[in-house]
Amino acid sequence: MKKITIIGGGIAGLTAAYYLDKKIKEDKLDYEITLLESTNRLGGKIKTERRDGFTIERGPDSFLIRKQSAERLARDVGIGDKLVKNGTGTSYILVGEDLHRMPQGSFMGVPTQVKPFLSSELFSLTGKLRAGMDYILPKGEAAEDQSLGKFFRHRLGDEVVENLIEPLLSGIYAGDMDDLSLMSTFPNFYQLEQEYGSLIKGLHKTNQAPKPATGKKPSMFYSIDGGLATLVEAMEEALSEGIVQKRKAVQDLTKTDKGYELTLQNGEKIESDAVLVATPYSVMKQLMNQYEVISELPHMRATSVANVALAFDKEAIKEDIDGTGFVVSRNSNYRITACTWTHKKWPETTTPEGKALLRCYVGRPGDEDVVDLSDEAIKDIVLHDINKIMKIDGDPIFSVVSRWKDAMPQYSIGHKQVVERLETGLANELPGVFIAGSPYRGIGIPDCIDQGEAAVENILSFLAE
């Protein structure tokens, strides 16, 4: 019997375990899977709290519909009927002290319709003219990589970057645009520029730009009735008995004549023919730093963020705003980075009748220390900021603070090359060891599921050889 060990029970490791187990059953393979999770639960950053009729996501709250692997997985584990689409409505950007409607017809912040862009008060006339230069500027020189900030500033100017693109992308990566890698985050924009000489022209030509709204705009995100943890719970339940072992932290991974030996913190040793390491980058390095392929890897920075869920009676919100939430430009004197009106974004599944649920985010480059403050201090910061926008009467019914320390991997310039070098080095120096998860090829739920599925193919191919 060949043994496969998965280290890490986040969505990437759990996906790999699920599809490996399924394949072993279908093909009657003589393989045994063990999934080792250092904590007492699976799911990684997927964490749902159900309280007094509220469904509170402490990590991500949704996944993109256009990336199909997450929907496919949900249907595969029997919860397709629980998939729910987000409620749609106006979204805003807070610049200075004012909320501005997100310009219609923008794709990830890149303006693609002239009229909404020109009528927006987000930008000065100078800023609008500078963004229009995208039509006539020559394409940039071919480059292996560059920062998101450098690329977008060159094409569209500082105002569009700071007041539109940066607040949107920071909500995804919680990082500094002038450090984040273009080719590891949005390589499609580089390809459009190189092919068409203009981002805006390229989006029109390839139909990536959204079409003008004719009534209600389509939903872009799925969540799950009962919270995203429902997916994790369904996957865990579907796994064969004995695969999942919680509170089993791996301390060391050593290559042997027969394969690999894993030493756990409790002293237990596990022999394995193939290993998938689906942990944070720092844990991966610590496990295998005695090998040259790992020790020579550069440090990967990870930022810290926190979010605060606030429950209210609807009548406590004295200045309600039609929409689903807002992101905050750095040109604003606010410490929150975004606010989701969860009861409007997910009206059917998160909030009891007559109640409101807000979720606000703190922590950005230069202000990560806010994550270390007490729950009460973070709640006060959030209430102070949102009261300048919404005028809320009284304290929340309750609040839930969630901290994610060093949890957002930063794809710095050259990240793609680092990952490729790591994978090649593992194949040469540690054959049978594979990697997957948010530190490598995408941080979203579907990205991590894709990596888990790819790991399954790689492991099965390796063992078959």
Side-chain angles (χ1 to χ4, degrees), residues 27 45 93 117 122 127 136 167 186 188 321 340 398 419 442 447:
D27 295 353
K45 288 193 280 286
I93 299 179
F117 179 68
L122 267 171
I136 59 175
F186 296 99
N188 55 311
I321 301 167
T340 301
F398 65 82
V419 174
D447 301 315

Side-chain angles (χ1 to χ4, degrees), residues 243-283:
I243 287 178
V244 174
Q245 297 188 27
K246 299 174 185 174
R247 297 187 183 275
K248 293 288 185 75
V250 181
Q251 192 168 18
D252 184 65
L253 187 157
T254 304
K255 187 178 181 182
T256 67
D257 293 339
K258 296 181 180 180
Y260 295 94
E261 182 181 79
L262 281 64
T263 303
L264 277 54
Q265 283 186 358
N266 63 7
E268 183 182 349
K269 294 186 184 295
I270 295 176
E271 302 293 332
S272 191
D273 296 282
V275 180
L276 173 62
V277 182
T279 67
Y281 183 84
S282 59
V283 176

Side-chain angles (χ1 to χ4, degrees), residues 81-297:
D81 60 331
K82 292 183 178 293
L83 288 166
V84 291
K85 293 181 178 180
N86 63 301
T88 59
T90 304
S91 52
Y92 298 86
I93 299 179
L94 179 64
V95 179
E97 298 297 326
D98 299 315
L99 285 177
H100 300 268
R101 290 176 179 268
M102 195 83 69
Q104 284 189 351
S106 62
F107 180 78
M108 297 307 294
V110 178
T112 61
Q113 293 181 26
V114 174
K115 188 175 179 180
F117 179 68
L118 290 178
S119 62
S120 174
E121 296 181 356
L122 267 171
F123 321 107
S124 67
L125 177 59
T126 302
K128 294 171 183 176
L129 292 172
R130 174 61 185 85
M133 295 288 287
D134 175 66
Y135 281 105
I136 59 175
L137 281 172
K139 67 181 181 182
E141 293 184 8
E144 190 173 51
D145 203 359
Q146 58 188 296
S147 74
L148 281 171
K150 177 182 178 181
F151 177 78
F152 284 119
R153 289 180 203 279
H154 172 67
R155 297 307 318 174
L156 301 167
D158 287 344
E159 276 194 48
V160 170
V161 168
E162 293 172 7
N163 290 349
L164 183 56
I165 296 176
E166 194 272 347
L168 289 174
L169 301 193
S170 287
I172 301 171
Y173 290 97
D176 184 348
M177 279 192 62
D178 293 310
D179 179 61
L180 288 173
S181 159
L182 174 68
M183 298 307 289
S184 294
T185 53
F186 296 99
N188 55 311
F189 285 126
Y190 173 78
Q191 291 154 5
L192 288 173
E193 185 220 35
Q194 290 295 301
E195 185 172 352
Y196 298 100
S198 157
L199 283 181
I200 299 172
K201 288 179 186 176
L203 286 170
H204 278 300
K205 290 281 187 181
T206 57
N207 295 318
Q208 291 189 51
K211 294 177 173 57
T214 54
K216 194 174 183 181
K217 65 181 181 180
S219 299
M220 294 177 61
F221 298 95
Y222 273 128
S223 188
I224 298 174
D225 190 3
L228 292 179
T230 303
L231 174 60
V232 174
E233 292 156 0
M235 293 171 73
E236 183 175 7
E237 187 175 342
L239 287 173
S240 297
E241 188 176 351
I243 287 178
V244 174
Q245 297 188 27
K246 299 174 185 174
R247 297 187 183 275
K248 293 288 185 75
V250 181
Q251 192 168 18
D252 184 65
L253 187 157
T254 304
K255 187 178 181 182
T256 67
D257 293 339
K258 296 181 180 180
Y260 295 94
E261 182 181 79
L262 281 64
T263 303
L264 277 54
Q265 283 186 358
N266 63 7
E268 183 182 349
K269 294 186 184 295
I270 295 176
E271 302 293 332
S272 191
D273 296 282
V275 180
L276 173 62
V277 182
T279 67
Y281 183 84
S282 59
V283 176
M284 182 275 297
K285 283 203 72 175
Q286 185 178 352
L287 282 177
M288 300 184 287
N289 207 45
Q290 69 270 37
Y291 299 102
E292 188 175 335
V293 59
I294 305 298
S295 63
E296 290 187 346
L297 289 175

Side-chain angles (χ1 to χ4, degrees), residues 22-53:
K22 186 177 181 184
K23 188 71 173 173
I24 289 168
K25 291 172 183 173
E26 289 173 350
D27 295 353
K28 297 180 171 56
L29 300 172
D30 193 22
Y31 298 166
E32 179 183 85
I33 311 165
T34 301
L35 187 153
L36 302 172
E37 166 56 41
S38 63
T39 71
N40 64 352
R41 67 174 192 89
L42 300 180
K45 288 193 280 286
I46 296 176
K47 189 176 183 182
T48 305
E49 180 167 329
R50 298 150 182 141
R51 178 170 175 177
D52 300 337

